[in-house]
């Protein structure tokens, strides 16, 4: 009898200790824990974790939530997100989001609608690009919901601010493991792209140019970028980098003739403008060596409500395949794009993106309708 009592006491003590040390369940009716986090504006914000009802406002905020498998917790979206989904893979992957209540107009220069945001009673409001510290504090006071500011940083595709934003979302919505996996995946892609080309001497690299890039609207061949992320990722020799600038650049078309790059990429978001211009002035285009030799390629646009990191990654692998075919001989750009979309958004979306824009292909502007 004493032995039975001893065993019972020991078992009870062990269970009591484990219950005190292990993670605590929260019985129905009790408050969820709150934690303080520091957002990308440097604000300390108290949030309930895990947040079960979220909204995301401003360029790219909803995309990051989707990457961290948070689409199922979204309770409202901006009206802009309900519009034509072409160019935004996260809406293609989660079309059910378009059925959510409208929480504001949206757009890069929009003003958040505090009343509509409050109407869906979110546990947290994620905001990107729209708000500075004081504006975030003001919106938080008006809605009664914590506002957490996110950022894509300066580089967007491979930027520490993106990584921090993903990790912050993951922590708040209870998907920390997934957030860590996404950050690791992006960093591994960056390392892979760089490793394939970092040892190639500059004089062995063809010169390259990308035109028709979107910049607050669509543009022709004169719209380009210095330090263009897909080119930077594969250590390409971008002729525009000679300007010493960074980011979007509108060049004089005569400058492109003087650079005369070996390979030209055309962003398919502005392809129609280039085709129309080609029809008006074919002699200009045929004066470029890339057009003469058939080294002109179409790529999928990746800037739509800021950077679609998935498409930008796919474009980088495609650029690598075109510019450095030997170093990327194991890569099928369409299959690689689907791998990227599948990992980040849960669906292979290349075929749909290619149907909307044209996909990865060599271009002959005389045959483009």
């Amino acid at each position: 009898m004493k032995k039975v009592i001893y065993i019972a006491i020991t078992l009870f003590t062990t269970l009591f200790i484990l219950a005190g040390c292990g993670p605590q369940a929260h019985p129905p009716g009790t408050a969820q824990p709150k934690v303080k986090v520091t957002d990308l504006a440097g604000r300390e914000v108290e949030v309930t974790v895990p947040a079960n009802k979220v909204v995301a406002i401003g360029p790219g905020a909803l995309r990051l939530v989707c990457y961290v498998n948070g689409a199922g917790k979204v309770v409202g979206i901006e009206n802009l997100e309900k519009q034509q989904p072409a160019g935004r893979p996260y809406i293609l992957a989660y079309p059910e989001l378009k059925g959510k209540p409208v929480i504001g107009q949206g757009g890069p220069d929009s003003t958040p609608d505090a009343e509509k945001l409050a109407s869906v009673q979110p546990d947290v409001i994620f905001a990107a690009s729209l708000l500075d510290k004081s504006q975030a504090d003001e919106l938080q006071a008006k809605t009664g919901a914590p506002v957490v500011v996110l950022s894509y940083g300066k580089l967007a595709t491979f930027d520490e601010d993106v990584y921090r934003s993903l990790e912050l979302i993951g922590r708040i919505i209870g998907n920390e493991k997934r957030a860590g996996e996404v950050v690791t995946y992006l960093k591994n892609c960056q390392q892979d792209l760089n490793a394939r080309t970092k040892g190639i001497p500059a004089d062995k690299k063809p010169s390259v140019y990308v035109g028709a890039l979107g910049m607050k609207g669509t543009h022709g061949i004169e719209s380009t970028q210095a330090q263009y992320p897909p080119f930077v990722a594969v250590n390409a020799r971008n002729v525009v980098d000679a300007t010493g600038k960074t980011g979007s650049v509108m060049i004089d078309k005569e400058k492109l003739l003087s650079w005369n790059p070996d390979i030209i990429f055309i962003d398919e978001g502005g392809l129609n403008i280039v085709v129309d211009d080609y029809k008006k002035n074919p002699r200009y285009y045929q004066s470029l060596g890339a057009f003469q030799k058939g080294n002109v390629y179409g790529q999928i646009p990746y800037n739509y409500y800021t950077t679609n990191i998935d498409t930008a990654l796919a474009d980088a692998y495609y650029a690598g395949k075109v510019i450095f075919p030997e170093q990327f001989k194991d890569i099928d750009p369409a299959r690689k794009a689907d791998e990227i979309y599948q990992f980040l958004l849960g669906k292979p979306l290349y075929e749909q993106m290619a149907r909307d824009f044209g996909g990865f292909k060599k271009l002959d502007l005389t045959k483009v309708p």
Side-chain angles (χ1 to χ4, degrees):
M1 183 66 180
K2 289 181 179 180
K3 185 176 181 180
V4 172
I5 294 172
Y6 173 77
I7 292 173
I9 292 173
T10 302
L11 180 60
F12 176 80
T13 304
T14 302
L15 290 173
F16 180 80
I17 292 172
L18 288 174
C21 295
Q24 298 296 298
H26 297 281
T30 63
Q32 289 178 278
K34 292 189 175 183
V35 299
K36 288 184 177 180
V37 299
T38 302
D39 70 8
L40 274 289
R43 300 165 55 251
E44 190 174 76
V45 185
E46 188 175 69
V47 294
T48 299
V49 294
N52 293 315
K53 297 170 64 180
V54 309
V55 292
I57 61 174
L62 182 58
R63 179 185 298 111
L64 296 183
V65 170
C66 289
Y67 285 165
V68 188
N69 291 351
K73 295 192 173 191
V74 173
V75 293
I77 68 170
E78 295 170 310
N79 189 53
L80 182 147
E81 301 282 20
K82 289 176 174 275
Q83 297 166 14
Q84 176 61 34
R88 285 173 292 142
Y90 58 100
I91 298 295
L92 298 177
Y94 297 102
E96 64 273 17
L97 289 174
K98 292 190 293 180
K100 300 293 182 180
V102 172
I103 53 171
Q105 179 54 40
D109 301 314
S110 63
T111 300
D113 190 320
E115 185 176 343
K116 286 185 177 178
L117 284 165
S119 71
V120 296
Q121 300 181 310
D123 296 329
V124 63
I125 299 170
F126 292 114
S129 303
L130 288 179
L131 310 173
D132 59 22
K133 285 185 178 181
S134 61
Q135 291 168 330
D137 289 339
E138 182 181 354
L139 183 62
Q140 186 165 294
K142 287 181 177 179
T143 60
V147 174
V148 175
V149 177
L150 310 174
S151 174
Y152 276 68
K154 294 180 179 180
L155 301 175
T157 309
F158 302 120
D159 196 290
E160 286 299 323
D161 280 359
V162 170
Y163 303 150
R164 289 174 57 202
S165 295
L166 290 166
E167 290 167 345
L168 190 57
I169 296 168
R171 181 182 180 192
I172 291 169
I173 70 173
N175 289 0
E176 287 180 272
K177 182 175 182 292
R178 168 63 181 175
E181 290 169 349
V182 172
V183 170
T184 297
Y185 183 83
L186 295 177
K187 289 182 176 180
N188 286 344
C189 286
Q190 182 182 24
Q191 292 167 4
D192 177 47
L193 289 162
N194 177 61
R196 290 170 182 267
T197 58
K198 65 181 180 181
I200 302 174
D203 61 355
K204 300 295 183 183
K205 298 177 181 178
S207 57
V208 299
Y209 175 87
V210 60
L213 291 177
M215 179 181 62
K216 294 186 177 180
T218 54
H219 302 278
I221 199 166
E222 66 274 18
S223 179
T224 188
Q225 270 192 28
Q227 298 298 317
Y228 180 59
F231 288 170
V232 172
V234 298
N235 302 295
R237 186 156 65 94
N238 182 2
V239 294
V240 188
D241 291 348
T243 63
K245 298 179 180 180
T246 301
S248 296
V249 179
M250 293 293 288
I251 65 162
D252 189 299
K253 286 169 69 175
E254 298 304 309
K255 186 63 177 177
L256 184 55
L257 288 176
S258 68
W259 282 331
N260 199 23
D262 298 309
I263 299 170
I264 292 178
F265 292 86
I266 301 294
D267 187 287
E268 289 166 342
L271 178 58
N272 289 340
I273 296 176
V274 177
V275 171
D276 289 344
D277 192 46
Y278 181 93
K279 291 175 181 177
K280 295 173 185 176
N281 190 10
R283 290 182 61 185
Y284 168 81
Y285 289 90
Q286 288 303 328
S287 298
L288 292 162
F291 279 83
Q292 294 169 12
K293 298 174 183 177
N295 290 329
V296 181
Y297 299 85
Q299 66 168 33
I300 301 172
Y302 67 75
N303 278 321
Y304 197 124
Y305 213 26
T306 203
T307 301
N308 287 292
I309 295 173
D310 35 48
T311 304
L313 270 179
D315 280 349
Y317 275 97
Y318 177 58
K321 181 75 172 183
V322 170
I323 303 166
F324 305 110
E326 183 61 28
Q327 285 75 16
F328 285 80
K329 61 185 178 183
D330 62 316
I331 296 296
D332 177 311
R335 290 180 62 184
K336 188 65 179 179
D338 269 341
E339 174 206 297
I340 293 166
Y341 289 129
Q342 180 73 51
F343 183 84
L344 292 176
L345 293 169
K347 290 183 181 179
L349 298 169
Y350 173 76
E351 186 176 337
Q352 194 165 353
M353 294 292 287
R355 187 166 59 246
D356 290 336
F357 295 103
F360 301 140
K361 62 184 180 181
K362 183 175 283 194
L363 293 175
D364 180 351
L365 298 195
T366 65
K367 297 180 180 179
V368 176

